[in-house]
Amino acid sequence: MKHGSITVYLSMSLLLAIGLIVTVLESARIQGLKAQMIMGAESALDSAFAEYDKTMFEKYGITLFDGGTDGIQIKETMLDYFSQEYSGTANEIFAGFTWYPLTAEDVYPQKIIRAVDAKGSIFAHLVTEFMKYNAVGDQAERILEQLNILEKGEDARNDAEDAKEEAIRTDWGMQGETNVSRKTDIPVKHMAQVILENTEIEDNTGEEENKFDQERYEKEWEDSMVSDVEEIKAGGFLKLVLPRGSALSGEAIETEDLPSGQIPEGEPLTFQNGLDDLGREVLYNVYLTEYFPSFVTEEKRNGPQYELEYILFGKDSDEANLKAAVNRLLLIREGLNILHILQSPEKMEAVLAMATAIMGWTLIPAIVTLTQAALVGAWAYGESIMDVRTLLGGGKISLIKNQEEWNLSLQGVADLLKGTIAEGKEGENGLTYTDYLMLLLFLEDKEEKYYRTMDMVQVNMRKTNPDFLMRECIFGVQVGISVKAGKMFPQWTWLSGGSGGRPYEYAYSVSRMY
């Protein structure tokens, strides 16, 4: 009996020791399960986002995950990677056995950050991250200088319009106040009519009579190049600026489902990448000129041809976008050319001489002054047509031209409008058509620019993937993942805290963000 009692005692002691050991082992394994679960979730996220859209990266250098509707692709991809990681083929101590038998039950996206969110700032960040190793210092300084020159040209154009208004408002013997507000689209002929209606004309006898050769007055305006230029401005300018032999693209842009038409709510995000606002804008605009074709791009693609023009103006056809770009460039060049004319005494003398020849017979200084201002604008606009034609032909035009770069005499404007002048002079150190468009990009609203860029990305991606949508492209995601894990010692039911529920499995969940 004594020997038997010792055996029983040792057996009970050994049982307690084994229970203690497996309890410690199971506790350690539980912590390992949690660590494995977290690592598995993060690894599955990393692996999922490694499946970014390769076509988009090859075309545009942008890494985004096509998550499908409501992020369903994220869920399926993560479940697949997690199952591969913990299917029993990894972390094995010996064949057919694993210490961490984890099984993913569900993956549920909690928050999805899409490329189209945050007013386009996410997409812009991806672009600048891709481009940030380009040098921006010299470019930024040069662009700021060019933008300042553009502003001076715009001021000069406004001053020319003010001069027309001032000619009406100046007291040249008017009977009363005129009620005319400055509008750049008022024909000069009508502005002069206001002067006539409010001016007393003195005849040779010294008596004041309201007599005026209206027929001659109207004919002078109709025959002048000012009238022709105003007609061109009204919408007929495109045919004058296209280089010979060039053809317009007839492509339309399907606007349905484009990002710019479905801008989500939210505020812009700020990313710290070592660049200031100007540096980011320089890189973004350089990116646009490198990755999106325009009228002067030699390589033609399927679909819309003038993508850079679309990003600027957002029209639904190539022709409409080109027309908007040309009109904007004509106005820019008109202002800069007015600045050149005003700074040239010889050209101003020629303008005064022609204005006097056209309207000096009226003996009304206000009309001569108005005609002079109108001729400056007409001459500058004619020169602008030559400039834009050169730009569309692949040439360069200086922002501020010197005398050698000037194309038209004042009388030559009429020849240009008749189509007898075809080629213009090129500025050796000037800007190209693409350079001018880049300057316009700096003046464009950032949000519109970002979303129209995404429009073009989507249009081009749909050539190979008809179901592609930018709003389904994911930049970041927060997901929850729930897992279950088998117990290593299920027969020790007292280790599980009781026999109710699911005593042989642990259930965990974790939330992670990429």
Side-chain angles (χ1 to χ4, degrees):
M1 292 295 296
K2 290 183 179 180
H3 293 291
S5 63
I6 293 174
T7 300
V8 172
Y9 175 76
L10 288 176
S11 297
M12 294 180 66
S13 298
L14 182 58
L15 182 62
L16 292 172
I18 291 173
L20 176 62
I21 291 170
V22 297
T23 300
V24 172
L25 287 175
E26 188 71 358
S27 297
R29 202 177 67 85
I30 288 172
Q31 300 306 313
L33 282 169
K34 293 178 180 179
Q36 289 290 326
M37 176 183 61
I38 293 171
M39 288 189 294
E42 292 178 347
S43 176
L45 267 175
D46 287 339
S47 299
F49 274 87
E51 293 190 3
Y52 56 82
D53 194 307
K54 304 299 189 296
T55 304
M56 190 188 301
F57 179 74
E58 290 170 1
K59 284 186 176 182
Y60 298 106
I62 301 299
T63 53
L64 289 168
F65 182 87
D66 191 347
T69 305
D70 296 327
I72 187 66
Q73 193 62 38
I74 279 284
K75 175 177 180 176
E76 294 176 354
T77 305
M78 282 193 64
L79 280 171
D80 182 53
Y81 277 113
F82 196 92
S83 298
Q84 290 182 39
E85 183 72 16
Y86 296 104
S87 62
T89 59
N91 300 310
E92 294 182 351
I93 300 298
F94 48 86
F97 178 79
T98 176
W99 285 99
Y100 306 111
L102 292 170
T103 302
E105 289 195 308
D106 192 19
V107 172
Y108 40 96
Q110 298 169 320
K111 182 179 182 181
I112 297 176
I113 305 171
R114 295 177 171 84
V116 298
D117 292 340
K119 303 300 182 187
S121 59
I122 292 172
F123 182 82
H125 167 69
L126 290 171
V127 168
T128 53
E129 280 295 293
F130 174 64
M131 296 286 291
K132 73 179 182 181
Y133 296 105
N134 288 23
V136 299
D138 293 341
Q139 294 184 72
E141 186 175 343
R142 184 178 69 255
I143 287 169
L144 279 178
E145 181 181 348
Q146 292 168 349
L147 289 173
N148 288 334
I149 295 174
L150 285 189
E151 186 178 354
K152 292 178 181 177
E154 182 70 14
D155 291 343
R157 191 164 63 87
N158 289 334
D159 288 345
E161 295 298 331
D162 288 336
K164 296 176 188 177
E165 180 189 1
E166 190 64 25
I168 296 176
R169 293 186 179 279
T170 303
D171 183 10
W172 297 104
M174 291 186 180
Q175 295 177 343
E177 292 267 338
T178 61
N179 185 23
V180 180
S181 60
R182 181 174 66 82
K183 291 183 179 179
T184 57
D185 58 349
I186 294 180
V188 178
K189 175 182 175 181
H190 295 169
M191 298 174 80
Q193 188 68 40
V194 176
I195 297 175
L196 289 173
E197 291 171 355
N198 293 272
T199 303
E200 295 177 344
I201 303 172
E202 187 174 335
D203 66 11
N204 294 331
T205 64
E207 297 179 358
E208 292 184 354
E209 298 179 1
N210 287 322
K211 295 179 180 179
F212 189 76
D213 190 342
Q214 184 72 20
E215 185 176 344
R216 179 181 178 184
Y217 159 75
E218 291 183 359
K219 188 175 186 306
E220 292 288 357
W221 276 117
E222 290 298 329
D223 293 344
S224 73
M225 67 178 184
V226 175
S227 177
D228 294 335
V229 167
E230 287 187 339
E231 261 186 51
I232 295 296
K233 278 187 174 183
F237 52 79
L238 194 56
K239 63 181 179 181
L240 285 173
V241 298
L242 288 178
R244 286 183 176 177
S246 62
L248 281 175
S249 165
E251 294 286 344
I253 298 168
E254 180 56 58
T255 58
E256 185 179 359
D257 285 337
L258 291 182
S260 61
Q262 306 174 48
I263 300 176
E265 297 293 331
E267 294 300 321
L269 298 177
T270 301
F271 296 91
Q272 300 300 325
N273 55 5
L275 296 169
D276 58 15
D277 289 343
L278 178 60
R280 281 189 283 268
E281 281 302 290
V282 169
L283 288 181
Y284 190 89
N285 293 337
V286 169
Y287 172 84
L288 294 180
T289 61
E290 291 182 359
Y291 283 84
F292 296 89
S294 67
F295 178 83
V296 297
T297 303
E298 293 183 3
E299 179 187 357
K300 302 303 178 184
R301 309 181 182 185
N302 294 328
Q305 302 296 311
Y306 313 148
E307 296 180 9
L308 199 56
E309 288 88 342
Y310 172 83
I311 293 171
L312 274 165
F313 302 104
K315 308 294 184 181
D316 60 3
S317 71
D318 274 347
E319 183 175 349
N321 285 309
L322 180 63
K323 187 173 181 179
V326 166
N327 190 41
R328 188 71 180 276
L329 291 179
L330 284 171
L331 293 177
I332 287 174
R333 287 305 317 162
E334 180 185 7
L336 294 169
N337 290 335
I338 286 174
L339 195 60
H340 171 93
I341 294 172
L342 295 177
Q343 294 173 349
S344 170
E346 295 84 1
K347 287 184 172 62
M348 289 304 296
E349 284 181 13
V351 168
L352 178 59
M354 182 174 283
T356 303
I358 294 174
M359 289 295 177
W361 61 272
T362 65
L363 302 178
I364 302 176
I367 288 184
V368 176
T369 301
L370 175 61
T371 305
Q372 187 178 3
L375 286 172
V376 169
W379 193 1
Y381 195 81
E383 185 73 11
S384 301
I385 291 174
M386 297 293 294
D387 294 341
V388 176
R389 184 186 295 174
T390 300
L391 291 172
L392 293 178
K396 297 180 179 180
I397 296 295
S398 302
L399 284 173
I400 299 294
K401 302 171 98 174
N402 57 37
Q403 188 61 39
E404 289 71 30
E405 294 171 331
W406 194 262
N407 291 288
L408 296 175
S409 66
L410 186 53
Q411 292 78 8
V413 176
D415 296 330
L416 170 68
L417 299 181
K418 293 174 184 176
T420 58
I421 299 178
E423 301 298 328
K425 299 176 184 177
E426 186 175 344
E428 189 173 324
N429 298 315
L431 304 181
T432 65
Y433 176 75
T434 303
D435 294 332
Y436 274 95
L437 292 191
M438 183 187 288
L439 292 178
L440 293 182
L441 287 168
F442 281 94
L443 305 176
E444 184 61 35
D445 178 80
K446 290 181 183 179
E447 182 180 319
E448 290 185 353
K449 181 169 59 179
Y450 297 157
Y451 280 96
R452 288 175 189 163
T453 306
M454 288 187 273
D455 288 350
M456 283 294 99
V457 172
Q458 178 170 302
V459 166
N460 289 319
M461 290 293 293
R462 281 190 158 186
K463 295 174 185 176
T464 55
N465 179 7
D467 297 325
F468 179 88
L469 291 171
M470 278 298 298
R471 66 172 178 266
E472 292 180 356
C473 291
I474 295 176
F475 168 73
V477 65
Q478 180 175 344
V479 297
I481 181 168
S482 58
V483 301
K484 64 181 180 180
K487 294 187 177 181
M488 188 65 67
F489 306 98
Q491 67 273 27
W492 298 77
T493 56
W494 52 275
L495 292 175
S496 66
S499 59
R502 303 172 66 185
Y504 304 131
E505 286 184 351
Y506 301 113
Y508 300 108
S509 63
V510 67
S511 178
R512 279 293 180 269
M513 173 171 278
Y514 182 92

